Each structure stands twice: as C-alpha cells, then as structure tokens.
Amino acid sequence: MKEKIIDKYEEGVTSTYKSKDTEEWLDRYFNRQIGYLWALFFKKLHVSPNAVTIMSMVLGVAAGIMFYYTDLVHNIIGVLLLMWANFYDSADGQLARMTGKSTQWGRLLDGFAGDVWFFAIYLAIVLRLWNQPIPFTHSRWGILILIIAFFSGYVCHAKQCQLADYYRTIHMYFAFGKDGDNFDNSRDQRRKLRNIPRKGNFFFRLGLFFYGNYTHSQESMTPYFQDLMAIIVNERHGQIPPQFRLDFRKESKPMMKYANFLTFNMRAILLYICCIGNFPWVYFVCEIVVFSIVAYCLRNRHEKLCSHTAMLLKEGYYDDDAKLI
C-alpha cells in the first residue's frame, strides 16, 4: 500500500515536468517534489496559478530585503525566503499543468516573477556594499558597485537566462513536437499585440510588449537556428522528419546541463554562499566571468549544430529518413 502511494506520488510529480531531458537534478529531487506538494495544496484550496506566482514575487522581494543586511540571521532568512519563492515558482507551473489552466498571461507573469526577485536582490546588494570598502583598497564601492550590478544583471544575467531558456525550449520543440512546449517567436507576439484592444488590456499588452522584446533578443542571439527554422517553415512547411528529431535530440541533450547551469539553481547556490560569507561582490564577478564563458561556449556549440543540420536539410539528407552521420 505504501509503495503504491509513493509510486502514485512520483507519477504525479513526473507528470508535471516539462521534459525529463531539461529538468535539473536539483529540481527533480528537491524543488519539484516540494513544489508539487504546494500545488496539491493550492489545488485543494482552488487557488489560481497566477495567484501563486504573485505570492512568489512577494517572497522573492522579501528575500532581497534580507540580503541587504550583513549579519548571518538576516541572510539565512533571505536564503529560506528565496527557496520558498522558488518552490512557489515550481508550484505555479505544476498547478497550471495539473488543472489545465495554463495561459499566456500566466506564462508572462511567471517569467516576470524571476526578474522581480533578482531586481530586488541586486538592489539590496548594491545598497549593502555602497559604503563598504573595496577589498584590498581604502576606497568605498559607491557608484562602482551600481555599474557592476547593472552590467551583471542587465547585460549578463538577462542574456544568459534568455539563451538558456531558448535552448531548452528548442530542445523540447524538436524532441517532443510543438505540443511539448510553447515555442513562441517575436513576429507572433507583435501580431497579438496589434490585435488586442487597448481598452482594458493595459497590463496584458505591456506584458506582450516586453515578451516580444524578450523573444526578439533570443532570436538575435541565434542566427544559425533562425536559418534552420526558416528552412523548416518555408521549404518544408513545418514538417520535421522523425529521424531529424531523434538526431537533433541526441546532439542537443548533452548541452542541456550547460543551459541548466545558467538558470536559477546554480545562481541561487552561488548567491547564498556569497551573501552568507559577506562577499556578495563575488557573485557579480562570477556572473560576469564564469557564467558568460559558459553561455558563450553553449551558444557556439548550439549554433554549430544548427548550421550543420540546416545544411543536411537543404541537401535533402533526411528526405529518405536517413540517419545523421
């Protein structure tokens, strides 16, 4: 009986995954497990996924406030609050898939939530360090830490996460078909924005505007993938050979660990260590240097894959359902 309950629980958790290929081990064995329990709880209370997302924003901002302080107690509270926010971030998507209430507005809100968390955290770290001395000098951080935080967050963090999210979506699109995930493009988002009445839709239109910019940024960073998609859409009318899907998945799957490195979990662990150790400036350095190197290598490798597979498609390699050499 106990084994059946455990198996049913595990089956329920697995059913809320977007894809096993793209789920991180920490999510599979920790975050998704706890998030699923929250999703079941909110389902029982008839709480909407969007309400859970908003609660995660509140928790994320509260975590950021705690990271302003230099003492251990406040920082540990900040860690716990950010973990809680992340559980809710898992729960809202799981709840949406569980109840069939997944909407574009929900996806927009969910994507915005992470930005709210990190804006609060970055601002808190800037204020925390502003009057502190720069290590090994007699000068204070002052405006320098604001410039570093802006570059780290807007230029590095944002682009890295956009790229990682795009590559995971691409992987699910080719491996499992369009129904496996929402594969959006900037043209569709602009079209939706034009067709939605202005009256009474201010926030939704604003979300679509920023989401359109988000998808456009992803597209601008991946020119060879855009060439590949152009061949599929214009020359093959959206038809993707089954063997192409298998081969693309085989080559893309090993890259998912690098895409996952660029997402929340690794950043959060680094943030916890740096804030508790009272050297939060190291977080920015790692984001600018280490994460940027990983993102560059991932992008270079993925673009080569797209260039190669686009060439094979154009040459008719898959017309007879041949296998990739």
Side-chain angles (χ1 to χ4, degrees), residues 5 18 23-25 50-51 125 147 184 196-197 207 217 256 293:
I5 294 173
K18 286 185 177 180
E23 290 286 344
E24 299 178 69
W25 68 268
N50 290 349
I125 292 175
I147 295 170
D184 297 322
I196 293 175
S217 178
M256 293 303 101
I293 291 172

Side-chain angles (χ1 to χ4, degrees), residues 179-233:
D179 291 338
D181 198 62
N182 298 287
F183 188 68
D184 297 322
N185 62 69
S186 59
R187 294 184 302 278
D188 289 343
Q189 305 315 306
R190 297 303 186 210
R191 191 179 302 113
K192 288 178 183 178
L193 182 62
R194 289 194 298 270
N195 293 334
I196 293 175
R198 292 178 180 273
K199 188 175 181 180
N201 294 298
F202 175 78
F203 289 107
F204 185 50
R205 284 177 55 85
L206 185 65
L208 275 179
F209 173 78
F210 284 114
Y211 187 59
N213 290 343
Y214 178 86
T215 53
H216 183 267
S217 178
Q218 291 176 318
E219 292 160 1
S220 66
M221 290 189 287
T222 54
Y224 286 109
F225 171 70
Q226 304 312 315
D227 292 342
L228 173 60
M229 283 301 295
I231 294 170
I232 291 172
V233 172

Side-chain angles (χ1 to χ4, degrees), residues 266-280:
M266 188 58 67
R267 294 178 195 276
I269 292 169
L270 177 63
L271 179 70
Y272 300 156
I273 294 171
C274 292
C275 287
I276 289 174
N278 200 23
F279 42 82

Side-chain angles (χ1 to χ4, degrees), residues 88-288:
Y88 278 12
D89 185 56
S90 291
D92 62 7
Q94 289 171 308
L95 181 61
R97 287 186 283 276
M98 193 185 296
T99 58
K101 293 182 178 178
S102 179
T103 63
Q104 181 161 34
W105 176 240
R107 295 196 298 274
L108 295 176
L109 193 63
D110 185 53
F112 182 62
D115 295 336
V116 171
W117 300 355
F118 278 96
F119 178 83
I121 291 167
Y122 282 35
L123 180 60
I125 292 175
V126 167
L127 295 175
R128 171 176 175 165
L129 291 175
W130 190 276
N131 288 316
Q132 289 189 21
I134 300 173
F136 314 113
T137 73
H138 298 291
S139 302
R140 299 187 183 277
W141 282 103
I143 197 170
L144 177 62
I145 194 60
L146 177 62
I147 295 170
I148 292 172
F150 177 81
F151 183 81
S152 177
Y154 184 76
V155 178
C156 299
H157 181 133
K159 299 296 183 183
Q160 293 160 7
C161 289
Q162 286 171 11
L163 201 64
D165 181 58
Y166 201 42
Y167 285 151
R168 297 201 298 184
T169 303
I170 290 169
H171 180 84
M172 287 185 282
Y173 175 80
F174 283 125
F176 309 110
K178 190 159 188 174
D179 291 338
D181 198 62
N182 298 287
F183 188 68
D184 297 322
N185 62 69
S186 59
R187 294 184 302 278
D188 289 343
Q189 305 315 306
R190 297 303 186 210
R191 191 179 302 113
K192 288 178 183 178
L193 182 62
R194 289 194 298 270
N195 293 334
I196 293 175
R198 292 178 180 273
K199 188 175 181 180
N201 294 298
F202 175 78
F203 289 107
F204 185 50
R205 284 177 55 85
L206 185 65
L208 275 179
F209 173 78
F210 284 114
Y211 187 59
N213 290 343
Y214 178 86
T215 53
H216 183 267
S217 178
Q218 291 176 318
E219 292 160 1
S220 66
M221 290 189 287
T222 54
Y224 286 109
F225 171 70
Q226 304 312 315
D227 292 342
L228 173 60
M229 283 301 295
I231 294 170
I232 291 172
V233 172
N234 299 326
E235 298 182 20
R236 293 185 169 267
H237 310 291
Q239 300 300 311
I240 304 174
Q243 189 60 45
F244 176 90
R245 289 189 183 276
L246 293 174
D247 293 335
F248 194 95
R249 180 187 183 188
K250 180 181 177 182
E251 297 298 321
S252 173
K253 189 175 179 180
M255 300 184 209
M256 293 303 101
K257 59 179 175 288
Y258 302 110
N260 289 336
F261 179 90
L262 297 173
T263 52
F264 175 80
N265 287 330
M266 188 58 67
R267 294 178 195 276
I269 292 169
L270 177 63
L271 179 70
Y272 300 156
I273 294 171
C274 292
C275 287
I276 289 174
N278 200 23
F279 42 82
W281 58 272
V282 172
Y283 173 82
F284 294 142
V285 173
C286 289
E287 193 161 62
I288 293 169

